[in-house]
Amino acid sequence: MSVKQSLEGALEVDLTLLVLWKAFVVDETGVSHKYVGQHHVTMTMLDQQISTIPTAQRMVEQKAVRFLKDIDINKSDEPSSTVMIQLIKCSLQHPDHKDHDFTKKRLCTVPATLHLCNCTDKTLAIQVDTDTAPDNTPSMDTSSGYYVTPKPPNSSDFVWVRQVSQQLELSGNSSHQIHLLACFSKAGVFNLSNINVNVTRKSLGLEGEPVEQKKLLPSVITVSQTTNN
């Protein structure tokens, strides 16, 4: 089995879901009606959008007939980008609310856990970065003579202060947890999903730059200022 077939097979499923639904509808006269029904939904791949409403298919213009054989040039054995960005499933677990008195303690820290799951049967080399600034390389400040490290975006609101960057190998069909710590300097609502997860192509026997995995879904926490009695 080729690398392409192996990776694409990791996301393929053969599921038929039975969806039971109930709806309450009010007509123009103000009379309420109850409707019930069911739908059978077939899934062939994870993270695929499915609709039970039939959609009209657009007419596809047929290409002109060719009598010359098409030559495949540099046909790649690499799976599609849809598959490559879903090799690792990621989720973030943390409290959804935190009370803190910033007048007594300037900084508030909240623990979080990043869950990683390898969907393939191959061992993958993974790079996890919580500092998503485009350029965080120290540079020389000519006026002072000191090296200055640029701050990541919104660093005055919250930053990750534990496991900023980590490399690991995750064996096939296994999971791993990374314990993180978010630090807040003020109250507010914050999205903690600014985490990048990359898989190296070398661990798949392929060439090229690391592949960034699918972005985490928004993961929001509310930090509230406690009131003094």
Side-chain angles (χ1 to χ4, degrees):
M1 180 182 295
S2 66
V3 174
K4 182 177 181 179
Q5 293 174 330
S6 175
L7 297 181
E8 289 181 346
L11 299 180
E12 292 178 352
V13 294
D14 186 13
L15 296 176
T16 300
L17 304 179
L18 176 62
V19 181
L20 302 177
W21 57 268
K22 180 188 297 184
F24 295 91
V25 179
V26 179
D27 61 20
E28 297 177 353
T29 63
V31 180
S32 178
H33 303 274
K34 181 176 69 174
Y35 297 93
V36 295
Q38 68 180 34
H39 282 88
H40 295 81
V41 181
T42 301
M43 296 181 60
T44 58
M45 181 174 289
L46 295 176
D47 287 345
Q48 182 183 29
Q49 293 186 357
I50 300 174
S51 174
T52 58
I53 302 176
T55 56
Q57 296 184 353
R58 299 179 59 183
M59 295 295 294
V60 180
E61 183 179 353
Q62 299 295 329
K63 296 182 179 180
V65 178
R66 294 174 59 92
F67 295 95
L68 298 176
K69 182 180 179 181
D70 292 330
I71 301 176
D72 294 333
I73 301 177
N74 296 329
K75 186 175 181 181
S76 176
D77 188 46
E78 182 172 310
S80 65
S81 58
T82 304
V83 174
M84 292 294 288
I85 65 173
Q86 298 186 76
L87 303 179
I88 299 293
K89 293 295 183 183
C90 311
S91 63
L92 192 63
Q93 181 180 7
H94 59 81
D96 57 3
H97 186 271
K98 175 71 173 181
D99 290 321
H100 184 79
D101 188 355
F102 289 94
T103 61
K104 294 183 178 179
K105 191 174 182 180
R106 189 67 187 89
L107 298 177
C108 170
T109 57
V110 177
T113 303
L114 178 65
H115 297 270
L116 304 173
C117 180
N118 185 352
C119 298
T120 73
D121 58 358
K122 297 181 177 296
T123 299
L124 301 179
I126 303 171
Q127 172 78 34
V128 179
D129 292 309
T130 58
D131 184 359
T132 56
D135 184 7
N136 203 36
T137 305
S139 59
M140 173 69 75
D141 184 354
T142 56
S143 61
S144 63
Y146 292 101
Y147 281 96
V148 178
T149 301
K151 294 182 179 179
N154 300 325
S155 61
S156 61
D157 296 336
F158 100 92
V159 291
W160 296 103
V161 294
R162 180 188 296 172
Q163 298 286 5
V164 175
S165 180
Q166 181 175 352
Q167 295 180 350
L168 60 111
E169 285 191 351
L170 195 57
S171 57
N173 301 310
S174 64
S175 59
H176 182 73
Q177 296 180 358
I178 299 179
H179 299 289
L180 306 171
L181 193 66
C183 183
F184 305 89
S185 61
K186 64 181 181 180
V189 179
F190 307 93
N191 182 10
L192 304 186
S193 62
N194 62 333
I195 299 175
N196 288 341
V197 178
N198 296 276
V199 173
T200 62
R201 280 189 167 90
K202 187 176 181 181
S203 62
L204 297 169
L206 303 173
E207 297 181 355
E209 297 294 326
V211 182
E212 184 176 350
Q213 297 301 286
K214 194 171 183 178
K215 292 290 187 181
L216 286 167
L217 293 175
S219 191
V220 176
I221 181 174
T222 302
V223 179
S224 301
Q225 167 68 43
T226 57
T227 55
N228 295 323
N229 296 326

